[in-house]
Amino acid sequence: MAKVTDLVKRLLVGRALRSGQLHEQLLPKRIALPVFASDALSSVAYAPQEILVILSLAGVSFYTYSPWVALAVVVVMLTVVASYRQNVHAYPSGGGDYEVATTNLGKNAGLTVASALMVDYVLTVAVSVANGVDYVGATIPFVAQHKPAIAVAVVVFLTVVNLRGIRESGLAFAIPTYAFMVSTIGLVLWGGFRLLVLGDDLTAPSAGFEIVPEQSNLTSFAAAFLILRAFSSGCAALTGVEAISNGVPAFRKPKSKNAATTLLMMGLVAITMFGGIIALGLASGVKVAEPSVVATDLLKNGQPVGPGYYQQPIISQVADAVFGGGSFMFVLISAVTALILFLAANTAFNGFPVLGSILAQDRYLPRQLHTRGDRLAFSNGIVILAAGACLLLWGFNADVSRLLNLYIVGVFVSFTLSQTGMVIHWTRHLKTETDPKVRFQMMRSRVINFFGGVMTAIVLVVVLITKFAVGAWIVCIAMPVLFLMMKGIRRHYDNVAAELALDKEYDESMLPSRNHAIVLVSKLHKPTMRALAYARATRPSKLEAVTVGVEGEEARKLQEEWERLGIPVPLKMLDSPYREITQPILDYVKTLRRRSPRDVVTVFIPEYVVGRWWEHLLHNQSALRLKARLLFKPGVMVTSVPWQLHSSDRLLGRREPAAPGSVRRPLSREDEQIKAG
């Protein structure tokens, strides 16, 4: 069974890597860009459309505000990219926003950022995958009919790929990401060339449609609120920017410089695609409405398009206008756009485990999250992220509209606190810096971070106001719950550390007066004799064998056989009128402890070692129950004395010659390596 499990693991995850091979997993910029930027780049597939969808609530006339809304989003994106370039230079250890906030604003601010980012990473996976399933489901009915199951399957696939290591996942996702970048930028350039140079008219499939406004004659306040809501939806384009600051340790040296360059490349590419798509969409007459009202609010020749109409995403409509609906480029752009939406989740798969590892190192999360797996990836964090995303996808039926309402709240909380922390960082360093050139650079960086903090704080307020009632309240509850959970975990670890800490001087009281050893006996056989021999070898102060007399006849025969063999250890028979085995032993151990509190009681338990999974169900059940109970008894030591049955040799694939009276055991991995030379 173990061999089969190991074979499956190796086929899926790959062979284990040595710790010394960690440097081989570091990423050059050309691989780091698709690994860390796929989330931010994929937002081009839906962020421009979200702006137009919200503005369409007031009719096509409000589309005139979309360039200004898009410009505001671009300004915020440029500001955030410039701000995070300061972050990666100042804090290259990979802590990102969490480290910045903790160092400059305190532990509570750091935990607030951490809880916000963890929620946002899970939502990034759920939203990206659900969006990609929607995109594919528009052309493949089977996918549309089984959205939650398909979405979960995609998350499982991404999990397996990421478990193979960050370098392999980067190589696997690099080609689709670059294909999306090249095809989308080619779409923007060719569309701009046709419009500005050739003077062609671009016509989107929905250009002849009309939109029935759901809200007309808006007051100035209502109109401003709608525009702000469109702005907050468009700010989804900023998600994923922070992932590079968390992933600096994954870059090749010089880490900070390479991370900052990758961040700048990502920002420029994302802004070019975002601005180009929304500009071409307006030039070609794209019309979009909320998915729930498409059938009634979109009119064609004065009549509702009806429930059978499928609203193409904005990129598909622009590609149709620029290249033609049946062209190769149209098909290519549609395919790589659907693929990049799935791969956008990969940004979270690289950010969440690293953040979880840092939090575990600081004792705010279980220590297992700090452990690297066979492929030097933080496997436990990857699995937890996947599980959270699958729960969201199943719980929300993979509905993008519902999931988007929970989105981007967390990331703007981290943006705001991080930039505020950076302002304090530069202010603190300016107090001690005397070099005029360095002071000028610090003051410039402080201005950038201050402007970034103000902008992201404004966006956060807008997002909370416009999205709180439609789903963002869930995130506002989840973040404090995570915050309190991490505080509780840290409190537990601190209490354990304080309880286990050594005194300044050696404590003689830890040395027990005597060691009272008992060997548990169920019947006379080789495992029992092995346990007796081992117990005698430890030279306890007192040694006795203990058995529970459940059946009178069997107990009498055991006593007779014991005396016949002349075993030099006294056998004590415990009475059990209710045929219980565990409780009489516990009571006897408790009696020994009460009689001599400074003594320790060592309980030797013979156990079988078996090789087949079903054999575990047939053996050692009483021993497991007894050990579980004894572990909670102070002053009691539990020692398992194994006896390997023949079936355990299946773990080796062959039997090793054994010395007379010795215990056969499976070779460890280290033993196998030694034998192999």
Side-chain angles (χ1 to χ4, degrees), residues 470-491:
V470 291
W473 62 269
I474 298 176
V475 177
C476 295
I477 292 176
M479 285 171 49
V481 169
L482 277 173
F483 179 91
L484 294 174
M485 181 194 75
M486 289 189 287
K487 293 280 281 188
I489 291 173
R490 176 59 187 263
R491 190 181 307 113

Side-chain angles (χ1 to χ4, degrees), residues 180-201:
F180 173 75
M181 290 165 54
V182 171
S183 60
T184 305
I185 292 176
L187 168 66
V188 171
L189 293 177
W190 181 243
F193 180 79
R194 287 189 59 187
L195 275 174
L196 302 176
V197 179
L198 301 181
D200 294 343
D201 289 329

Side-chain angles (χ1 to χ4, degrees), residues 363-374:
R363 296 183 294 178
Y364 288 112
L365 286 178
R367 291 170 180 168
Q368 292 87 336
L369 291 177
H370 185 56
T371 305
R372 292 183 183 270
D374 286 353

Side-chain angles (χ1 to χ4, degrees), residues 4 28 39 54 68 147 154 174 202 217 224 248 296 309 313 332 357 369 424 437 452 457 459 465 486 505 579 668:
V4 174
D39 182 21
I54 300 301
W68 302 105
K147 279 173 54 178
V154 172
L202 302 181
N217 300 322
V248 176
T296 55
Y309 174 74
L332 175 64
S357 170
L369 291 177
I424 295 174
K437 183 178 180 180
V459 176
I465 292 174
M486 289 189 287
E505 296 181 359
R579 299 160 306 283
S668 65

Side-chain angles (χ1 to χ4, degrees), residues 13-31:
V13 177
R15 64 180 180 84
L17 299 177
R18 298 188 303 273
S19 298
Q21 294 178 274
L22 182 59
H23 69 281
E24 299 175 9
Q25 299 296 302
L26 299 180
L27 304 176
K29 294 189 291 292
R30 66 180 183 277
I31 302 298

